[in-house]
Amino acid sequence: MIKYTPKNRVMWSNILMSIAVSLLVNFSYLLVLFASHNSDNKRPSWLEKYDARKVELAEEGTLRVMPDGYGYLIMDEGCPIDTIYVGSNSIWRLELHNGDRMQITALTPEVDGAHHSLFTITKLNGEEFDYAARFDKPDTNSQTALQIICYALLMFVVLTIVTRGSRKGTLWQRYFLPYAISLLIVVAFFFAAPLIGIKADTHRGALDIVLMLKCMFVYVVAVLYARIYDLLYQRQRIEIKNEQLKTENLSTRYSALVSQISPHFLFNSLNSLSMLVREKHNEKALTYIDRLSHVFRYVIQNGQNTLSTVADELQFIDSYRYLLEVRYADKLFFEIDIDPSYMERQMPSLALQPLIENAVKHNAITRSKPLTISIYTKDGAIVVSNPVIPKIEAEVSTGIGLQNLSSRWQMITEKDIEVIRTEKTFEVRLPLINEPKK
């Protein structure tokens, strides 16, 4: 038993599409069968009104077609009716020709003095006249089933060729070759259809035209379906590629961030630790080592995550803050005020650290001019702000760190950070993701 799996979903789509197109192409056959099955063998009402006017003639007549398209049936001697009118529509639909010999059933005129008219043909040129064959209507369930199955198979074969061809390869392999092969199959079906009993739903004279239209419909629908499938496939490939590039980009940025933090920050941290050891602040040194290990453990373990909760980031910042406060004793302070309802909201990992590092790097930090960094929540965002305290020898700012944070934030959250610079303050607002981390 064939099960539905991601690998064969295209096959199942082709099967369903083939059945739908086959039912659409053979709708007239289904309609006729439905009407016949629900008629309970009763005569149609439109035939009952002609019963009183019908005249069955045993004699035959010869058809004479006029230049304008209508004709008269000249009856043989002994027939009570001399001539019978044959409309141009009947001549065209029944494929009658000048000189045809016919035995018919006529209708008496509704107006006195008018000609009798043709109602049905019993024999044509000495042979029984088969209306079902002439109009190619389905006369059995098997005939209708044959129509549906054949067109469904044709559609499935064509769809399989064009959808497989649109996945990969050169332009010739993807489009021209499969479309050309499928067109040849449709043409072969067109010529083979009469041999296997495929009929059209109109008179014999238009059999080729109707069959051609049905084949063209199958081919056009298959090509359009293949183009839609190809566009969806290409779109899916682009989305997957974008996700891969996004992941690679984040991984590259993370690696760059780690490499930036590790040597510079580790060097300064070891200097601070060395100072605590020399001054024999043993308890403080142990706490410092614990916080330092927490910082690097978070960078290594959680830094690979795209998102972290606000609570996790604040725990990391608490350890990072302690290391900086030891380094800038009584000169650097933090004011952290986070609404508890924001704790489970999400934000990109390692987002607060570069803002704190920039504040420390680009501002003077002295006993006379201490630096206070504020971290608080406002209107669905985390705000990091600090006063501007220019250094005597200002360091050149490349802006790469802030630019990387901005692009990384937009890539992950699809939101933009807001940077507000004034002469006295520098503020960055980081909009959070609404959904809590699962």
Side-chain angles (χ1 to χ4, degrees):
M1 182 178 179
I2 301 177
K3 297 181 179 180
Y4 180 86
T5 63
K7 291 184 178 181
N8 60 21
R9 65 179 180 270
V10 176
M11 181 191 70
W12 282 107
S13 299
N14 291 348
I15 291 175
L16 294 177
M17 189 67 179
S18 301
I19 295 174
V21 171
S22 181
L23 293 176
L24 182 62
V25 168
N26 295 284
F27 177 75
S28 61
Y29 286 84
L30 297 172
L31 191 62
V32 169
L33 280 182
F34 178 79
S36 63
H37 288 168
N38 288 276
S39 64
D40 295 329
N41 297 322
K42 293 181 180 179
R43 290 174 56 78
S45 58
W46 64 272
L47 285 177
E48 293 178 355
K49 66 179 182 179
Y50 292 112
D51 288 344
R53 297 173 53 202
K54 288 194 305 182
V55 178
E56 294 186 6
L57 302 176
E59 295 79 9
E60 293 187 352
T62 303
L63 179 63
R64 292 289 181 262
V65 180
M66 301 293 105
D68 292 338
Y70 65 92
Y72 289 98
L73 191 62
I74 311 301
M75 303 305 297
D76 294 344
E77 294 183 4
C79 182
I81 304 173
D82 294 332
T83 59
I84 296 174
Y85 174 78
V86 182
S88 58
N89 186 47
S90 296
I91 293 175
W92 176 75
R93 288 189 304 108
L94 302 177
E95 294 182 336
L96 302 179
H97 303 90
N98 189 50
D100 282 344
R101 295 280 297 170
M102 291 182 287
Q103 182 182 351
I104 69 165
T105 297
L107 287 177
T108 57
E110 295 181 318
V111 180
D112 293 338
H115 283 87
H116 285 70
S117 60
L118 173 68
F119 181 64
T120 60
I121 300 175
T122 307
K123 289 184 178 181
L124 178 63
N125 297 323
E127 298 180 356
E128 296 292 334
F129 189 84
D130 185 0
Y131 273 90
R134 180 67 59 165
F135 286 95
D136 292 308
K137 294 294 183 181
D139 50 0
T140 62
N141 291 343
S142 59
Q143 173 64 28
T144 303
L146 177 64
Q147 300 272 358
I148 295 175
I149 291 173
C150 288
Y151 280 104
L153 288 176
L154 173 65
M155 185 68 181
F156 179 75
V157 171
V158 174
L159 280 179
T160 301
I161 293 174
V162 293
T163 53
R164 285 186 179 276
S166 61
R167 291 185 183 182
K168 55 186 178 180
T170 63
L171 187 64
W172 168 258
Q173 294 172 331
R174 293 174 56 195
Y175 297 106
F176 298 107
L177 184 59
Y179 291 170
I181 294 175
S182 59
L183 180 59
L184 290 176
I185 292 175
V186 172
V187 172
F189 177 84
F190 170 75
F191 287 106
L195 301 179
I196 59 177
I198 300 297
K199 300 179 180 181
D201 51 2
T202 185
H203 61 286
R204 191 179 300 276
L207 172 62
D208 293 344
I209 296 177
V210 173
L211 184 59
M212 182 184 300
L213 291 175
K214 288 184 176 182
C215 292
M216 288 178 60
F217 180 80
V218 168
Y219 180 74
V220 170
V221 170
V223 171
L224 292 177
Y225 177 84
R227 291 296 302 132
I228 294 174
Y229 167 78
D230 186 45
L231 292 175
L232 293 176
Y233 178 75
Q234 295 297 332
R235 178 181 177 182
Q236 185 180 27
R237 287 187 60 188
I238 291 174
E239 290 178 352
I240 293 175
K241 188 174 182 180
N242 287 340
E243 288 297 324
Q244 292 175 343
L245 292 176
K246 180 178 177 180
T247 302
E248 292 175 1
N249 185 285
L250 291 175
S251 178
T252 302
R253 291 176 183 272
Y254 164 74
S255 300
L257 180 61
V258 171
S259 64
Q260 179 182 359
I261 292 176
S262 298
H264 177 71
F265 181 71
L266 180 60
F267 177 77
N268 290 328
S269 298
L270 291 177
N271 282 340
S272 299
L273 179 60
S274 176
M275 178 191 66
L276 293 175
V277 173
R278 282 197 304 268
E279 295 178 359
K280 297 183 179 180
H281 297 303
N282 296 335
E283 292 297 327
K284 203 170 184 179
L286 290 176
T287 303
Y288 191 92
I289 293 172
D290 182 64
R291 297 297 181 93
L292 180 62
S293 65
H294 178 260
V295 167
F296 280 95
R297 183 166 57 249
Y298 184 88
V299 171
I300 294 173
Q301 295 179 354
N302 294 44
Q304 289 286 6
N305 297 331
T306 303
L307 295 171
S308 296
T309 62
V310 173
D312 290 338
E313 279 289 294
L314 288 179
Q315 288 181 3
F316 165 69
I317 290 302
D318 185 61
S319 296
Y320 185 73
R321 171 190 62 81
Y322 181 83
L323 302 180
L324 291 177
E325 286 177 343
V326 171
R327 177 182 170 190
Y328 297 96
D330 300 325
K331 293 177 287 186
L332 178 64
F333 303 93
F334 287 83
E335 293 181 352
I336 300 178
D337 183 17
I338 302 297
D339 190 329
S341 62
Y342 284 74
M343 288 300 182
E344 295 303 315
R345 299 274 287 273
Q346 296 182 90
M347 61 184 296
S349 301
L350 296 174
L352 299 178
Q353 183 273 335
L355 297 178
I356 297 174
E357 184 180 8
N358 281 344
V360 172
K361 179 180 179 182
H362 297 292
N363 289 279
I365 304 177
T366 63
R367 292 189 183 276
S368 59
K369 295 181 179 180
L371 177 67
T372 300
I373 299 175
S374 301
I375 302 175
Y376 57 94
T377 52
K378 180 181 180 181
D379 299 331
I382 286 187
V383 181
V384 180
S385 66
N386 61 270
V388 175
I389 307 176
K391 290 184 175 182
I392 297 177
E393 295 181 2
E395 295 189 26
V396 178
S397 175
T398 61
I400 295 178
L402 192 60
Q403 182 180 355
N404 287 344
L405 176 62
S406 177
S407 60
R408 186 163 66 100
W409 200 280
Q410 204 284 330
M411 185 182 297
I412 297 175
T413 68
E414 297 183 354
K415 297 180 181 180
D416 294 320
I417 67 174
E418 185 178 359
V419 180
I420 302 174
R421 292 185 177 92
T422 65
E423 292 182 359
K424 295 183 178 181
T425 60
F426 181 83
E427 182 178 297
V428 179
R429 297 181 181 181
L430 308 172
L432 299 175
I433 298 176
N434 295 328
E435 298 80 5
K437 184 176 181 181
K438 297 181 180 179

